Amino acid sequence: MTKRREFIKKSALASLTSILGTEIVFGEKMLATYAPVFLEQNDPQSLFGKHKEMTTLNDRPWNIEAKAHLLDDLITPEDRMFIRNNGVIPENIDADNWKLTIEGESAKTTKNYSLADLKNNFKSYTYQLTLECGGNGRSEFNPPAKGNQWTIGAVSCAKWTGVRLKDLLADVGLKPDAVYVGYYGKDTHLSGDPKKVVISRGVPIGKAMQDETLVAFQMNGKDIPLAHGYPLRLIAGGFPASASGKWIDRLSIRNIVHDGPKMTGTAYRVPCETVAPGTEVPEDKMCIIESMPVKSLVTYPKSGALIPLGDTFEVRGKAWAGELSVKELQVSIDFGATWQKAQLERPANRLAWQPWTAKVKLPRKGYYEVWARATDNQGTSQPMVVPGWNPKGYLNNACHRIAVKAV
Ligand SMILES: Nc1nc2c(c(=O)[nH]1)N[C@H]1C(S)=C(S)[C@@H](COP(=O)(O)O)O[C@H]1N2
Ligand SMILES: [Mo]
C-alpha cells in the first residue's frame, strides 16, 4: 500500500513538474493530497490558452467547459473549446517521427504512415464538425450520475483538416467482414501504469466510410493544439466526441464491435429501452451511443443581460442534430406558452452546427427567460425537461434557457 502511494505520489510530482516546467524543490515533503498554489493561479487560461471564463471541472484529468455565451462564434476558436480528457496528456510529442499504424483482423495489410505520408500521398479535406461530449448536460440528471458534471459547454464546432479515413482504409484494404474501426492514442493512464490503455473507442465501418470522417492534422488552419490531439486525431462529427480519438498512433480494423476500454460495459452507452430514474440496468440492455440528439444553445445575449426596453433585440445561437440536420428553431419568452420561429441558417457542411437568430420584443420592464428549441429533419424536437434518465448521465438535450431583464 505504502509502495503504491509512493508511486502515485511520485508520478503526481512528475506531472506537476512537467506542468510547471521546473522542479518543485522540497516536493517530496508536499502531502500527496496537497494542491499547490500555482495550480490555482495557473488556470486553464495560461496552461491551455483558454478564455478566462472557461470552467475547470477537474484538473486530474483536465476537463474544462465553455459557457454558452463563449460559443457565439460560427467556428469555435481554440480558446473557447472544451477539453475532455480521460487520462494524462502525452508529453514530448515528436511529430516528425510520428507513425500511424493501420492494422487489425479485417485489414488486408498492415501499413504505417508518417504525417508527411498522410499530407503528401492523400487528398486533404476541410470540414467544420460538431463535437459534443456524450455527457454534456450530465449535471442535471436526478438521481445524479457520477463523472464530470458538465452543464452545457462540452460542445464545439471547429474546422478540421485531414485525410478521409475511407481513403486510408482503401489503401490498407478492407476484408468483407470489417465492422468497426477502433483507435489507440498516446495519452497515459492516471495510475501511471504505461501498459494501461486510457480509452480506445472508434466508429462503425459505415461511419468510417463517410466523407466527413477524417484523420485530421489541423484545427482551424493550424496544427492541432496539444490538448485537442496534436499531431493526429480521428474526427467523427455528429457522434459523441469520445469517438474522435486524440493523439492517435494506431487504428484497428475489427471484425467485431471494437472492445477497447470505454467501448464495453456501461461506458458511452444508454439503456436500449427507457428506464425509470435510478433503475439498475444490466450491461446487455445497454446500447452504444451513435448519432447525438437534436440540441441548441442561446449564445447571445449572455444570460443575465440587461436589455433596454424599446425595439426588438437580437437573440442568437447554434443548433445541431448529430448525424441529422436541424429544420427549425423556435424561441419563447413566456415560459413556453408561445413560440416564435427564428431564422435558421444552413450548415457550412454536413455535420456542422447551424447558426440562428431571432428578433425578440420584450413587452414591459421586468424579468424574462429566453428559451430555444430545435427540431431535427425527422421532426424530433428537444424536450423541455431533462429527458431519459440513464445510469451514466448521457444525452441530456433539454432546451437551453437564459435570463434577461428589460430595463
Ligand atoms: N486519446 C483520447 N482521445 C479522446 C479522449 C481521451 O481521453 N483520450 N476523450 C474523448 C472524449 S470523451 C471527448 S468528449 C473528446 C473531447 O475532445 P476535446 O478535448 O478536443 O474537446 O475527445 C475524445 N477523445
Ligand atoms: Mo466525452
Side-chain angles (χ1 to χ4, degrees), residues 50 62-64 81-88 131-135 150 154 156 160 183-187 198-201 219 227-229 233-234 240-248 268:
K50 294 293 170 188
W62 284 105
N63 282 283
I64 297 165
M81 198 167 173
F82 79 99
I83 298 179
R84 196 293 187 244
N85 292 327
N86 289 269
V88 181
L131 292 185
E132 183 181 15
C133 178
W150 304 107
S156 67
W160 296 90
Y183 69 73
Y184 290 88
K186 275 255 207 270
D187 43 345
V198 178
I199 180 172
S200 172
R201 305 197 71 243
M219 187 184 103
H228 299 291
R233 173 168 200 182
L234 181 64
S242 52
S244 294
K246 304 195 272 190
W247 313 290
I248 57 167
Y268 303 104

Side-chain angles (χ1 to χ4, degrees), residues 113 116-123 163:
Y113 303 93
D117 292 336
L118 297 177
K119 290 177 185 172
N120 301 332
N121 304 346
F122 296 88
K123 190 165 187 275
V163 299

Side-chain angles (χ1 to χ4, degrees), residues 39-352:
L39 277 182
E40 285 166 36
Q41 294 167 340
N42 245 12
D43 294 297
Q45 292 62 358
S46 32
L47 277 176
F48 301 108
K50 294 293 170 188
H51 191 281
K52 62 179 186 328
E53 290 177 81
M54 297 285 284
T55 312
T56 301
L57 301 179
N58 191 351
D59 59 10
R60 198 176 148 73
W62 284 105
N63 282 283
I64 297 165
E65 75 167 333
K67 294 191 172 74
H69 71 276
L70 297 177
L71 297 172
D72 196 41
D73 300 87
L74 178 61
I75 298 167
T76 311
E78 176 188 348
D79 71 330
R80 288 134 197 265
M81 198 167 173
F82 79 99
I83 298 179
R84 196 293 187 244
N85 292 327
N86 289 269
V88 181
I89 297 177
E91 286 164 26
N92 307 323
I93 285 172
D94 180 0
D96 292 338
N97 293 307
W98 195 267
K99 203 169 63 179
L100 174 69
T101 303
I102 305 190
E103 46 79 44
E105 61 268 4
S106 295
K108 283 193 179 151
T109 52
T110 294
K111 287 202 180 182
N112 296 311
Y113 303 93
S114 67
L115 291 181
D117 292 336
L118 297 177
K119 290 177 185 172
N120 301 332
N121 304 346
F122 296 88
K123 190 165 187 275
S124 292
Y125 297 85
T126 300
Y127 298 105
Q128 207 195 321
L129 296 164
T130 309
L131 292 185
E132 183 181 15
C133 178
N136 197 21
R138 174 178 292 135
S139 63
E140 287 185 85
F141 281 105
N142 206 356
K146 281 201 207 102
N148 289 292
Q149 296 300 301
W150 304 107
T151 65
I152 45 81
V155 60
S156 67
C157 195
K159 242 186 191 170
W160 296 90
T161 301
V163 299
R164 285 183 172 154
L165 176 56
K166 70 173 183 183
D167 291 348
L168 298 180
L169 297 183
D171 193 53
V172 170
L174 284 185
K175 290 187 187 164
D177 64 352
V179 294
Y180 229 88
V181 178
Y183 69 73
Y184 290 88
K186 275 255 207 270
D187 43 345
T188 51
H189 201 268
L190 288 175
S191 64
D193 181 346
K195 286 195 291 292
K196 264 193 162 170
V197 176
V198 178
I199 180 172
S200 172
R201 305 197 71 243
V203 288
I205 207 77
K207 180 70 176 167
M209 299 307 280
Q210 288 180 8
D211 285 354
E212 301 82 3
T213 303
L214 299 178
V215 171
F217 39 74
Q218 283 195 340
M219 187 184 103
N220 294 345
K222 291 193 283 203
D223 283 349
I224 300 174
L226 176 62
H228 299 291
Y230 178 77
L232 207 57
R233 173 168 200 182
L234 181 64
I235 295 284
F239 266 43
S242 52
S244 294
K246 304 195 272 190
W247 313 290
I248 57 167
D249 62 352
R250 182 152 68 98
L251 292 173
S252 189
I253 308 172
R254 308 296 316 271
N255 63 6
I256 55 164
V257 172
H258 184 52
D259 53 0
K262 309 238 162 163
M263 265 314 293
T264 55
T266 55
Y268 303 104
R269 290 183 188 223
V270 289
C272 305
E273 309 286 339
T274 316
V275 299
T279 307
E280 256 187 58
V281 187
E283 271 181 38
D284 64 344
K285 295 278 183 306
M286 299 284 280
C287 286
I288 299 172
I289 302 169
E290 295 193 339
S291 179
M292 293 292 287
V294 61
K295 198 161 171 179
S296 61
L297 280 178
V298 181
T299 59
Y300 183 88
K302 180 177 172 172
S303 191
L306 304 178
I307 311 290
L309 191 62
D311 289 343
T312 59
F313 75 103
E314 185 172 87
V315 177
R316 56 177 188 253
K318 305 289 184 303
W320 62 96
E323 294 236 281
L324 303 176
S325 61
V326 181
K327 99 173 164 202
E328 188 167 279
L329 190 293
Q330 296 173 306
V331 295
S332 175
I333 57 162
D334 54 11
F335 302 97
T338 63
W339 293 85
Q340 109 184 37
K341 235 170 120 166
Q343 187 178 326
L344 178 70
E345 307 295 326
R346 299 165 72 87
N349 50 253
R350 190 174 166 262
L351 310 179

